[in-house]
Amino acid sequence: MPRPLSHIRVLDLSRVLAGPWASQNLADLGAEVIKIERPGSGDDTRSWGPPFLKDKDGKDTREAAYFLSVNRGKKSVTLDISKPEGQRIARELAAKSDVLIENYKVGGLARYGLAYEDLRKTNPRIIYCSITGFGQSGPSAHRPGYDFIFQGMGGLMSITGERDGEPGGGPQKVGIAVTDVLAGMYASLAITAAIAHRERTGVGQYIDLALLDSIVAFGANQILNYFASGKVPGRYGNAHANVVPYEVFATADGHVILAVGNDSQFASFCKVAGRPELAADARYATMPGRITNRAMLIPLLREILRERSSAHWLTELEAGNVPCGPINNYKEVFEDPQVRHRGLKVEISHSAGVPCPAVASPMRFSETPVEYAVPPPLLGEHTRQVLGDLLGMRREELDRLAAMKII
């Protein structure tokens, strides 16, 4: 069955995380993704191990888990675009592609004749997405940037971490490279929107996607608090600026998350906890009251929750329709019955002769489901196939290019 983007070919000149995240999303939607990699070394993340995928004898392969996590569904073509003949081949591939994704420094591909203005001359329908740290313009456009930098610059670390003055207080980054992931997600959305526009008008376009913009946009609800009040948001640790109680509480044997989003849920919590008088107290009965009197209420709740085990609270609170949850490590995540039911771990047959584990896409379609048939490619696995089939290159020419280390 044709998938949503099965008519689309993507030329992917990106590496590491943000760009490959975007192109993997497009591959999941059925696009043919041709990943251009450096001969001999490939995408930087191929060497970002251990851990590496193990072969059937339990020995490490050369396939790093990091690379595997964002490159399924793609074809790997090795091509040295620093050389004129490699640039010519890249331009020929771009002429036969619908989308190009790149994450070079601003202006980096212009010196190779691979900028948008170069490629649109021969392919005016091309959708060209540039992913950079700071965008294509402005005083910082020339600067390189990494997720960690943007978590700080974009405000995320100012609201993440324990409160100042508390044990462990201070700024904290998120444990995932969230800026890269967000930029990849925004890039995926922007590209699919540009495809829809082109299908109506026949016109391609350029997409300027910045990591800084992405992480700032991510903070919109906290930023609007600042815009509306003039008060700069601070760190609340595991608490919430606008909802109380909404944080982690210690139990008799661990921790649970209590996420009470409205007044009726708070009343239900108090009933389950055997403290209905708290819900009747004017200081705590409403959300504004609980926010205003947070400093008095939270210590009371801490005492209550320490009296019982995590399992007790999770069972009783769920039965009382009070939002709550455990704090799972990733082993526990994939033991969760709901996670198993949703099939969030998948395995794809890999060229190394073993199944390659992967995390399923959250996109669920009733008519065009995501398929998991194409594993992350070996370096250069599809070079000859793609250049032969798409550009009509004969074996003799491919042998010549290989001898010159162009491919």
Side-chain angles (χ1 to χ4, degrees), residues 7-81:
H7 60 304
I8 296 297
R9 178 179 295 124
V10 178
L11 188 62
D12 184 9
L13 275 69
S14 69
R15 64 271 191 211
V16 186
L17 184 53
W21 194 279
S23 58
Q24 180 170 271
N25 283 334
L26 302 178
D28 282 347
L29 293 172
E32 177 189 10
V33 177
I34 299 171
K35 182 178 179 69
I36 302 299
E37 300 191 69
R38 293 187 298 269
S41 56
D43 189 308
D44 304 49
T45 62
R46 285 187 179 275
S47 63
W48 285 14
F52 294 93
L53 182 68
K54 296 189 181 299
D55 63 20
K56 60 184 178 180
D57 297 319
K59 297 180 180 178
D60 283 348
T61 67
R62 296 178 60 188
E63 310 305 305
Y66 198 114
F67 176 84
L68 297 175
S69 72
V70 288
N71 285 290
R72 66 169 174 255
K74 306 177 187 180
K75 298 175 180 177
S76 173
V77 170
T78 47
L79 185 65
D80 187 350
I81 65 170

Side-chain angles (χ1 to χ4, degrees), residues 256-335:
V256 296
I257 296 168
L258 182 62
V260 172
N262 57 49
D263 299 339
S264 65
Q265 289 174 358
F266 183 68
S268 296
F269 165 78
C270 294
K271 181 179 179 181
V272 169
R275 297 291 300 274
E277 72 278 6
L278 292 176
D281 191 315
R283 294 172 296 175
Y284 312 133
T286 65
M287 187 67 76
R290 292 193 295 278
I291 294 171
T292 302
N293 295 291
R294 180 197 303 261
M296 292 185 289
L297 176 61
I298 294 302
L300 295 175
L301 301 187
R302 286 174 179 164
E303 291 180 11
I304 293 168
L305 285 151
R306 282 197 188 98
E307 295 173 357
R308 306 274 187 158
S309 69
S310 296
H312 167 85
W313 286 119
L314 292 173
T315 299
E316 296 299 317
L317 292 173
E318 286 176 11
N321 293 316
V322 180
C324 62
I327 300 174
N328 289 335
N329 60 37
Y330 282 123
K331 178 177 183 295
E332 292 165 333
V333 168
F334 287 93
E335 292 172 346

